[in-house]
Amino acid sequence: MTASGGQKMWGGRFERAPDASFYEFERSWQFDRRLLPHELALDRAWARAIAAAGILTHEESQRIVAALDDIELRAESDAAWLDSSKAEDVHHFAETALIEKLGPLGAKLHTGRSRNEMVATEFRMYVRDAVRDMRTAVASLLRAVGDQAKNNLGVPMPGTTHMQHAQPLLLSHWLLAHGEAFQRDAERFRLVSERADYCPLGSGALSGSAFPIDRNALARDLGFTRITANSLDAVSDRDFALEMLFAMATLAMHLSRLAEDLILFASTEFAFVELPDEYSTGSSLMPQKKNPDSWELIRGKTGRIYGSLFTLFTVNKGLPSSYQRDLQEDKEPLFAAIDQLKPMTQIAAAALTVTKFRHERLREAAQDPALVATEVADYLVAQGIPFREAHEIVGKVLRAAEQAGKSIREMPIAELRKFSPLFGPELSTVLALESALARRSVAGGTAPGAVRAALGDFDARLAKIEENP
Ligand code: ARG
C-alpha cells in the first residue's frame, strides 16, 4: 500500500512517497468522484477503441468492459466503498478497482492515453448532462410562468419605469416578460451543450495519442458529435465550463429579478400577491409576519453563482499552453453552482405556481389616472397637435387637476377645454383603462389580443424544451 492506498499511477521515478498532508492537498477524489459514471463510460469506450487499434484482443476488451460494468454496479450500491477510498482522483479510483479485479489485464487499459484528456472529456460529458438537468428545471419554471399568465389573463396592473407609475400593463404581460428571460436561458443552455460537444479523447497528454485510435468512432461511442481539432488546445480548454457558468449566472440573475419583483409585490404597500404558506416563513418574534424567504434566498444565493464564474475565469487566466494542475480547480466551482442553482430554479417554479395574485388590488392600482396621461396626449395628437405640444398641455392639465384635488377622469370637460378646445366628450373613452391597454396591440405589446398571441408562441417554444431538454 502506498500513501494513495492502492496501485500508484505515476510513482516509478520517485524514491519517496508523497507527504501525507500534501497528498490530501493535491487529491481530487473527494469531489471528482461525481464524474465516476463518465469515467467508467469513457473507460469502456477506450477499451473498445484500443482493441480496434490492435492493442487489446477482442476478448481482453470484453473482459475489461464486463469488469467496468461490475465496478459501476458496486459503486451504485456501496457508498462506503467510495467514501473510504484513498484514491488520488476518479481516474485513479477506476484504474485501481479494475486492476484489483483483473490484475495485469486491468493495467493495460491506460495504454496510449492521459488523464489530461480524460478529465477534459469527462468534464464535457458532465456539463452536457448538467445542461439537461438545468433545462428540465427551467422548463418547470417556464411552465409555472405560462400557467400563471394563462390563469390571470385580463387582469391589469400598473406598469412602472424608475419605479414610478408609467402605463398600465396586463399582469400576464409582466409574467411573460420574466418568461422571455427564462426562454433565453433555456436556449443559452442548449448552445452551451452544443459547444461542449467536441471529444478531446485521442489528444494524449498534450501532443496526441501515439496509437492509431479512431477518434471519430470513439467520440460517437461516447455520444459526442465531433472531435476537437488540436490536442494541445484540447487538454487545456475549459471554455465550455465557463460558458456553462455564464449561462448559470445569467439564469441566477433573472431569478433574482423575479424574486425582487415578487418581494416588493408581497409587501403591504403593494399587496399585489399573497405569499404561499408552503414557501414562506414566519418570524420568531412578530406573530403577524409572513416572510418571502424563498425569494430572498434565491436573490441572495445569486452571488455564489457569480462567484463560481469568476473563480473559473481566474483559474484560467495566465495559464501557459497545455495542461496545468491549476485546471483541477475547474470542477468544484461548477459543481457548487449546479448544487445551488438547480434547487433555486425548482423552488422558484414551485413557489410561483402556488402564488396568488390579488386581482382586486391590482385592478385598483391600475386605475390610477396618471397611468393614462400618455393616452390624453395621444388623443390630442390624433386631432393634429404636435406631440411635444400635446405633452405640454397634458402636463398642465395634470397639474391643475392635482391642485384641484381631482383625478383627470373627474375634470369636467368645460374645465379641460380651457387648456385645449380640442377636448371632446370621447375623452372619457380614451381615459378608460381598457382602451389604454387595447391600443397596445402591436406584436409584443400588452393588449389582450397581443398577449394571447404571445402566450401561444410561448407555449410552443416551451413544448420544444420539454420534449428535448
Ligand atoms: N485530477 C486531475 C484534474 O482534475 C486529473 C488530471 C491529472 N493530470 C495530471 N497530469 N496530474 O485535473
Side-chain angles (χ1 to χ4, degrees):
M1 272 310 230
T2 65
S4 61
Q7 171 107 18
K8 284 186 284 184
M9 291 187 91
W10 42 259
R13 63 102 62 221
F14 285 76
E15 263 178 38
R16 294 180 302 281
D19 173 81
S21 58
F22 169 66
Y23 186 67
E24 278 312 310
F25 177 74
E26 66 105 355
R27 60 197 286 262
S28 54
W29 166 249
Q30 314 86 291
F31 54 86
D32 69 13
R33 56 188 273 184
R34 217 186 260 233
L35 299 176
L36 188 58
H38 307 103
E39 162 75 25
L40 296 171
L42 184 154
D43 288 341
R44 285 187 281 255
W46 189 256
R48 289 188 280 266
I50 60 175
I55 296 157
L56 296 178
T57 66
H58 181 60
E59 192 261 332
E60 283 176 323
S61 117
Q62 280 186 327
R63 284 181 56 208
I64 289 179
V65 169
L68 291 164
D69 288 343
D70 289 348
I71 292 168
E72 179 136 58
L73 275 181
R74 178 167 177 201
E76 278 162 11
S77 60
D78 187 354
W81 181 43
L82 306 182
D83 291 344
S84 64
S85 170
K86 286 279 160 219
E88 182 177 0
D89 58 23
V90 65
H91 323 291
H92 182 215
F93 177 85
E95 181 164 305
T96 306
L98 192 65
I99 292 171
E100 258 167 35
K101 277 181 118 34
L102 299 179
L105 174 59
K108 282 188 177 182
L109 183 64
H110 205 58
T111 314
R113 70 177 191 177
S114 158
R115 284 186 290 169
N116 299 351
E117 58 182 334
M118 291 167 68
V119 75
T121 304
E122 290 164 27
F123 202 26
R124 282 174 186 265
M125 293 164 76
Y126 178 85
V127 164
R128 300 193 68 211
D129 284 352
V131 160
R132 246 172 313 233
D133 277 6
M134 285 312 309
R135 274 173 57 93
T136 303
V138 172
S140 63
L141 180 60
L142 288 167
R143 189 48 75 197
V145 170
D147 284 352
Q148 287 284 18
K150 218 170 296 168
N151 297 336
N152 293 284
L153 203 60
V155 179
M157 71 185 286
T160 62
T161 60
H162 315 269
M163 286 306 287
Q164 303 288 318
H165 275 194
Q167 290 171 349
L169 291 174
L170 283 188
L171 175 64
S172 302
H173 196 61
W174 168 80
L175 282 159
L176 290 177
H178 285 288
E180 277 311 304
F182 299 131
Q183 291 269 7
R184 286 195 297 280
D185 290 318
E187 173 64 5
R188 197 171 288 113
F189 281 121
R190 192 186 66 75
L191 291 171
V192 167
S193 179
E194 209 172 289
R195 287 159 64 81
D197 186 13
Y198 292 81
C199 183
L201 276 189
S203 296
L206 74 166
S207 61
S209 181
F211 294 84
I213 304 297
D214 181 346
R215 289 193 62 203
N216 286 301
L218 187 51
R220 275 194 302 276
D221 196 355
L222 282 174
F224 286 96
T225 312
R226 332 170 192 63
I227 60 172
T228 52
N230 179 297
S231 62
L232 183 58
D233 171 56
V235 295
S236 70
D237 168 30
R238 295 294 184 272
D239 292 1
F240 60 94
L242 280 167
E243 287 174 11
M244 181 64 176
L245 280 169
F246 175 78
M248 288 195 284
T250 308
L251 167 59
M253 181 262 289
H254 291 151
L255 282 170
S256 87
R257 284 183 170 195
L258 171 64
E260 174 64 12
D261 271 358
L262 285 167
I263 291 163
L264 282 175
F265 288 178
S267 66
T268 310
E269 285 68 27
F270 278 86
F272 288 173
V273 302
E274 206 177 292
L275 290 171
D277 282 3
E278 309 89 296
Y279 297 96
S280 309
T281 59
S283 159
S284 56
L285 176 70
M286 298 163 281
Q288 83 281 14
K289 293 283 290 260
K290 178 146 87 171
N291 296 326
D293 293 35
S294 49
W295 297 111
E296 289 171 302
L297 283 167
I298 286 167
R299 190 177 56 185
K301 283 171 183 286
T302 297
R304 301 199 199 208
I305 319 296
Y306 295 180
S308 286
L309 174 62
F310 277 85
T311 299
L312 191 56
F313 261 132
T314 311
V315 166
N316 275 272
K317 172 191 174 297
L319 288 186
S321 292
S322 188
Y323 178 84
Q324 322 296 329
R325 192 62 180 277
D326 311 47
L327 289 169
Q328 180 169 291
E329 292 293 310
D330 60 357
K331 285 171 278 301
E332 280 172 295
L334 189 87
F335 295 163
I338 284 171
D339 290 349
Q340 294 297 325
L341 188 58
K342 214 163 80 175
M344 282 162 70
T345 312
Q346 289 162 339
I347 295 286
L352 182 61
T353 302
V354 290
T355 294
K356 286 217 168 53
F357 290 90
R358 303 180 58 186
H359 293 188
E360 252 164 66
R361 175 63 203 127
L362 285 155
R363 266 182 219 291
E364 178 195 319
Q367 285 299 343
D368 176 4
L371 292 164
V372 292
T374 316
E375 307 324 293
V376 185
D378 287 354
Y379 168 83
L380 293 175
V381 166
Q383 327 270 321
I385 301 216
F387 181 76
R388 244 339 118 222
E389 210 179 299
H391 188 288
E392 177 75 19
I393 293 171
V394 178
K396 285 185 179 141
V397 170
L398 287 175
R399 198 167 46 178
E402 195 178 296
Q403 274 161 4
K406 284 183 185 155
S407 105
I408 188 171
R409 288 197 181 102
E410 295 161 345
M411 293 277 276
I413 205 77
E415 194 67 27
L416 291 173
R417 278 192 209 272
K418 289 186 190 151
F419 296 90
S420 167
L422 295 171
F423 282 122
E426 332 75 71
L427 188 65
S428 62
T429 323
V430 169
L431 288 174
L433 172 60
E434 287 65 30
S435 61
L437 288 166
R439 288 184 62 221
R440 267 86 196 159
S441 60
V442 290
T446 198
V451 171
R452 224 170 287 120
L455 247 175
D457 178 64
F458 182 89
D459 267 349
R461 284 181 283 156
L462 170 54
K464 281 201 189 121
I465 301 166
E466 285 173 333
E467 261 164 46
N468 193 9

